[in-house]
Amino acid sequence: MLRSLVGSEMCIRDRYQRRVRGAPTIGMPAPTIPGSHPRIGMFVLLTLALGTASGTQVAPFPCDQIASPIQVVQAGSDGYAAKTLNVLTGGYADLWTLPFTLPTSPFSKLNAVGINPIDSTAYGMAKSNETGYLVRFGEDAASPGAMRMEYILQAPVFSFAGAPDRHGNFHIISSNRLFTFTGIDQLTGHLSAGAPGLANMSTLEPEYTYSVVGNRPVADIVPLQANLEGGSAQDYLIGLGGTKLLVIRYSSGYQHWELEATGLDPGLWYGAAWNYRDQAGEEHLYFAANVGAGVFEATGIDLVQGTVNMVRVGPSIQTNNNDGMNCLLANIPFPPSHAPTAEPTMAPTPDPTAGPTTGPTSEPTAGPTVDPTTNPTPAPTAEP
């Protein structure tokens, strides 16, 4: 009953027209930390035994085992490889590869990837026969060790900048337009892009249109829930291109800002973005430069001044045809950013310093003494 209802194009279009934001259209509430919610384990069992409500055969991503940032990178003519980033060395280790011929309808591009916290499953934009589709992908729940990709809807455009948010919505941007797909965990998956039951959202109108100056296009976006405007926390989509940080608010009405980012090369692309949170629950955003210039954290976002500080937190190697994803709101794997503070702090220095002595010493001190002697002496004096 649920499968036929969700698979109905009329029902899908009605759900999109209602535009329920801030909560998933259908399905369980979003867990605070993906992979830690008790229902995730139940979801895995249902996937293996019965399949999900949407009929997917894609297994949830193991968020409880892999906390590292992930890049999905084109692996030559083989397909796309998922790789984990070593935050200390900048190197990558292979997880698995999705062959171009994996689904019945082969695909040529995969980008705008992200892990939906509602079902802990990876989603992204695929291109097949020059048409954009929203897909889900990962290990085949029915054949452990094998991979699977499912087409779940035909999109109005193909995009390389997209991400799911904590509410289970999937957002993409293209040509200064924002499109939003809701309730993606409830859409039926198909191996063929031409399957009769595939949701057709090719005529979907953009949720929001904006204008920016930008010295490079935004190559990936990441969600953020934070208090950037005073008052209550709002939901934003953040993307970095060159030295411009794009901020789009999509809760409590739409608005966008373009911030000047310090500490960056204006000619660089940032094709991978990640959202992690600290022990206090604050969210942190990270962006990797495609040329291998490193991973940068966005700190001090100031919508009034129109500025943001970008602080390098680690190395990265050169990548192309890539996109970043991670288990949303997982704990930060990067070392501290050491971002500059607004006022001087009394934090200890990274190396010991020779501080003043509390009294006279029998040998000359390496640094200043508490009280200087009245006249220089060739040798240490017995009295100060």
Coordinates of all heavy atoms in Angstrom, one line a residue, residues 21-22 165-167 169 171 222-238 247-257 275 281-283 285 301 303 328-329:
R21 N 8.6 22.0 5.0 CA 10.0 22.2 5.3 C 10.2 22.1 6.8 O 9.3 22.4 7.6 CB 10.6 23.5 4.8 CG 10.6 23.6 3.3 CD 11.2 24.9 2.9 NE 11.1 25.1 1.5 CZ 10.0 25.5 0.8 NH1 9.0 25.9 1.5 NH2 10.0 25.6 -0.5
G22 N 11.4 21.8 7.2 CA 11.8 21.7 8.6 C 11.5 20.3 9.2 O 11.8 20.1 10.4
D165 N 19.8 17.8 3.7 CA 19.9 18.5 5.0 C 19.4 17.6 6.1 O 19.0 16.4 5.9 CB 19.2 19.8 5.0 CG 17.7 19.7 4.8 OD1 17.1 18.6 5.0 OD2 17.0 20.7 4.4
R166 N 19.4 18.1 7.4 CA 19.0 17.3 8.5 C 17.6 16.9 8.5 O 17.1 16.0 9.2 CB 19.3 18.1 9.8 CG 18.5 19.3 10.0 CD 18.7 19.9 11.4 NE 20.1 20.4 11.5 CZ 20.8 20.5 12.6 NH1 20.2 20.0 13.7 NH2 22.0 21.0 12.6
H167 N 16.7 17.6 7.7 CA 15.3 17.3 7.6 C 15.0 16.3 6.6 O 13.8 15.9 6.4 CB 14.5 18.6 7.4 CG 14.9 19.7 8.3 ND1 14.8 19.7 9.6 CD2 15.5 20.9 8.0 CE1 15.2 20.8 10.2 NE2 15.7 21.6 9.2
N169 N 15.5 16.8 3.3 CA 15.4 17.4 2.0 C 16.7 17.3 1.2 O 17.8 17.4 1.8 CB 15.0 18.9 2.1 CG 13.8 19.1 3.0 OD1 12.8 18.4 2.8 ND2 13.9 20.0 4.0
H171 N 18.9 19.4 -1.7 CA 19.0 20.7 -2.4 C 20.0 20.6 -3.5 O 21.1 20.1 -3.2 CB 19.3 21.8 -1.4 CG 18.4 21.8 -0.2 ND1 17.2 22.5 -0.2 CD2 18.6 21.3 1.0 CE1 16.7 22.4 1.0 NE2 17.5 21.7 1.8
V222 N 26.8 22.7 1.3 CA 26.7 21.9 2.6 C 25.7 22.6 3.4 O 25.6 23.9 3.5 CB 28.1 21.8 3.3 CG1 28.6 23.1 3.7 CG2 28.1 20.8 4.4
P223 N 24.9 21.9 4.2 CA 23.9 22.5 5.0 C 24.5 23.0 6.3 O 25.5 22.5 6.8 CB 22.8 21.4 5.3 CG 23.7 20.2 5.3 CD 24.7 20.4 4.2
L224 N 23.9 24.0 6.9 CA 24.3 24.6 8.2 C 23.1 25.0 9.0 O 22.2 25.7 8.4 CB 25.3 25.7 8.0 CG 25.6 26.5 9.3 CD1 26.5 25.7 10.2 CD2 26.3 27.9 8.9
Q225 N 23.0 24.7 10.2 CA 21.9 25.2 11.1 C 22.7 26.0 12.2 O 23.4 25.4 13.0 CB 21.1 24.1 11.7 CG 19.9 24.7 12.5 CD 18.9 23.6 12.9 OE1 19.1 23.0 14.0 NE2 17.9 23.2 12.1
A226 N 22.4 27.3 12.2 CA 23.2 28.2 13.1 C 22.4 29.5 13.3 O 21.5 29.8 12.5 CB 24.6 28.5 12.6
N227 N 22.8 30.2 14.3 CA 22.3 31.6 14.6 C 23.3 32.6 14.0 O 24.2 33.0 14.6 CB 22.1 31.8 16.1 CG 21.5 33.1 16.4 OD1 21.2 33.9 15.5 ND2 21.3 33.4 17.7
L228 N 23.1 33.0 12.7 CA 23.9 33.9 12.1 C 23.3 35.3 12.0 O 24.0 36.3 11.7 CB 24.2 33.4 10.6 CG 24.9 32.1 10.4 CD1 25.1 31.8 8.9 CD2 26.2 32.0 11.2
E229 N 22.0 35.4 12.3 CA 21.3 36.7 12.2 C 20.8 37.3 13.5 O 20.1 38.3 13.5 CB 20.2 36.6 11.2 CG 20.6 36.0 9.8 CD 19.5 35.7 8.9 OE1 18.7 36.7 8.5 OE2 19.2 34.5 8.6
G230 N 21.1 36.6 14.6 CA 20.4 37.0 15.8 C 19.1 36.3 16.0 O 18.4 36.0 15.0
G231 N 18.6 36.1 17.2 CA 17.3 35.4 17.3 C 17.6 33.9 17.3 O 18.5 33.4 17.9
S232 N 16.7 33.2 16.7 CA 16.8 31.7 16.7 C 17.7 31.2 15.5 O 18.0 31.9 14.6 CB 15.4 31.1 16.5 OG 14.8 31.5 15.3
A233 N 18.1 29.9 15.7 CA 18.9 29.3 14.6 C 18.1 29.1 13.4 O 16.9 28.9 13.4 CB 19.4 28.0 15.1
Q234 N 18.7 29.3 12.2 CA 18.0 29.1 10.9 C 18.8 28.1 10.1 O 19.9 27.7 10.4 CB 18.0 30.4 10.1 CG 17.3 31.6 10.9 CD 15.8 31.3 10.9 OE1 15.2 30.6 10.1 NE2 15.2 31.9 12.0
D235 N 18.2 27.6 9.0 CA 18.8 26.6 8.1 C 19.4 27.4 6.9 O 18.7 28.2 6.3 CB 17.8 25.6 7.6 CG 17.4 24.6 8.7 OD1 18.3 24.0 9.4 OD2 16.2 24.4 9.0
Y236 N 20.6 27.0 6.6 CA 21.3 27.7 5.5 C 22.0 26.6 4.6 O 22.2 25.5 5.0 CB 22.4 28.6 6.0 CG 22.0 29.7 6.9 CD1 21.9 29.5 8.3 CD2 21.6 30.9 6.5 CE1 21.5 30.5 9.2 CE2 21.2 32.0 7.3 CZ 21.2 31.7 8.7 OH 20.8 32.7 9.6
L237 N 22.2 27.0 3.4 CA 23.1 26.2 2.5 C 24.3 27.1 2.2 O 24.2 28.3 1.9 CB 22.3 25.9 1.2 CG 21.1 25.0 1.3 CD1 20.3 25.0 0.0 CD2 21.5 23.6 1.8
I238 N 25.5 26.5 2.3 CA 26.8 27.2 2.1 C 27.6 26.6 1.0 O 27.7 25.4 1.0 CB 27.6 27.2 3.5 CG1 26.7 27.5 4.7 CG2 28.7 28.2 3.4 CD1 26.1 28.8 4.8
V247 N 25.9 32.1 0.9 CA 25.1 31.7 2.0 C 23.6 31.9 1.6 O 23.2 33.0 1.3 CB 25.4 32.6 3.3 CG1 24.5 32.2 4.5 CG2 26.9 32.4 3.7
I248 N 22.8 30.9 1.6 CA 21.4 30.9 1.3 C 20.6 30.5 2.5 O 20.8 29.3 3.0 CB 21.1 30.1 0.1 CG1 21.9 30.5 -1.1 CG2 19.6 30.1 -0.2 CD1 21.6 29.6 -2.4
R249 N 19.8 31.3 3.0 CA 18.8 30.9 4.1 C 17.6 30.4 3.4 O 17.0 31.1 2.5 CB 18.5 32.1 5.0 CG 17.6 31.6 6.2 CD 17.1 32.8 7.0 NE 16.2 33.6 6.3 CZ 16.1 34.9 6.2 NH1 17.0 35.6 6.9 NH2 15.2 35.6 5.5
Y250 N 17.1 29.2 3.8 CA 15.9 28.7 3.3 C 14.8 28.4 4.3 O 13.7 27.9 4.0 CB 16.2 27.4 2.4 CG 16.7 26.3 3.2 CD1 15.9 25.2 3.7 CD2 18.1 26.1 3.4 CE1 16.4 24.2 4.3 CE2 18.6 25.1 4.1 CZ 17.8 24.1 4.6 OH 18.3 23.0 5.2
S251 N 15.1 28.7 5.6 CA 14.0 28.6 6.6 C 13.6 30.1 6.9 O 14.4 31.0 6.8 CB 14.5 27.9 7.8 OG 15.6 28.6 8.4
S252 N 12.3 30.2 7.3 CA 11.8 31.6 7.6 C 12.0 32.5 6.4 O 12.4 33.7 6.5 CB 12.5 32.2 8.8 OG 12.3 31.3 9.9
G253 N 11.7 32.0 5.2 CA 11.9 32.8 4.0 C 13.3 32.7 3.4 O 14.2 32.3 4.1
Y254 N 13.4 33.1 2.2 CA 14.7 32.9 1.4 C 15.4 34.3 1.4 O 14.8 35.3 1.3 CB 14.4 32.5 0.0 CG 14.0 31.1 -0.1 CD1 12.6 30.7 -0.2 CD2 14.9 30.0 -0.2 CE1 12.2 29.4 -0.3 CE2 14.5 28.7 -0.3 CZ 13.1 28.4 -0.3 OH 12.7 27.1 -0.5
Q255 N 16.7 34.2 1.6 CA 17.6 35.3 1.5 C 19.0 34.8 1.2 O 19.3 33.6 1.7 CB 17.6 36.2 2.7 CG 18.4 37.5 2.5 CD 18.2 38.5 3.7 OE1 17.2 38.3 4.5 NE2 19.0 39.5 3.8
H256 N 19.8 35.5 0.5 CA 21.2 35.1 0.3 C 22.2 36.2 0.5 O 21.9 37.4 0.5 CB 21.3 34.5 -1.1 CG 21.4 35.5 -2.2 ND1 20.3 36.1 -2.7 CD2 22.5 36.1 -2.9 CE1 20.6 37.0 -3.6 NE2 21.9 37.0 -3.7
W257 N 23.4 35.8 0.8 CA 24.5 36.7 1.0 C 25.7 36.2 0.3 O 25.9 34.9 0.1 CB 24.9 36.8 2.5 CG 23.8 37.4 3.4 CD1 23.7 38.7 3.8 CD2 22.7 36.7 4.0 NE1 22.6 38.8 4.7 CE2 22.0 37.6 4.8 CE3 22.3 35.3 3.9 CZ2 20.9 37.2 5.5 CZ3 21.2 35.0 4.6 CH2 20.5 35.9 5.4
N275 N 30.2 19.0 6.8 CA 29.7 19.6 8.0 C 29.9 18.7 9.1 O 29.5 17.5 9.1 CB 28.2 19.9 7.8 CG 27.5 20.4 9.1 OD1 27.7 19.8 10.2 ND2 26.7 21.4 9.0
G281 N 28.2 21.1 20.4 CA 27.0 21.1 19.5 C 27.1 22.1 18.3 O 26.1 22.2 17.5
E282 N 28.1 22.9 18.3 CA 28.3 23.9 17.2 C 28.7 23.2 15.9 O 29.6 22.3 15.9 CB 29.3 25.0 17.6 CG 28.9 25.8 18.8 CD 27.6 26.6 18.6 OE1 27.5 27.1 17.4 OE2 26.8 26.8 19.5
E283 N 28.1 23.6 14.8 CA 28.5 23.1 13.5 C 29.7 23.8 12.9 O 29.8 25.0 13.0 CB 27.3 23.1 12.6 CG 26.1 22.3 13.1 CD 24.9 22.3 12.2 OE1 25.0 22.5 11.0 OE2 23.8 22.1 12.7
L285 N 32.1 24.0 9.2 CA 32.1 23.8 7.8 C 33.5 23.7 7.2 O 34.3 24.6 7.6 CB 31.3 24.8 7.0 CG 29.9 25.1 7.5 CD1 29.2 26.1 6.7 CD2 29.1 23.8 7.5
I301 N 31.8 33.7 10.4 CA 30.8 34.2 9.3 C 30.1 35.4 9.8 O 29.4 35.4 10.9 CB 29.8 33.0 9.0 CG1 30.6 31.9 8.3 CG2 28.8 33.6 8.0 CD1 29.7 30.7 8.0
L303 N 27.4 38.1 8.5 CA 26.5 38.5 7.4 C 26.4 40.0 7.3 O 26.1 40.6 6.2 CB 25.1 37.9 7.6 CG 25.1 36.4 7.7 CD1 23.6 35.9 7.8 CD2 25.8 35.7 6.5
L328 N 26.3 13.5 8.4 CA 26.0 14.8 8.8 C 26.0 14.9 10.3 O 25.5 14.1 11.1 CB 24.6 15.2 8.3 CG 24.3 16.7 8.3 CD1 25.2 17.5 7.5 CD2 22.8 16.9 7.9
L329 N 26.7 15.9 10.8 CA 26.8 16.3 12.2 C 27.6 15.3 13.1 O 27.5 15.2 14.3 CB 25.4 16.5 12.9 CG 24.5 17.5 12.2 CD1 23.2 17.6 12.9 CD2 25.2 18.9 12.2

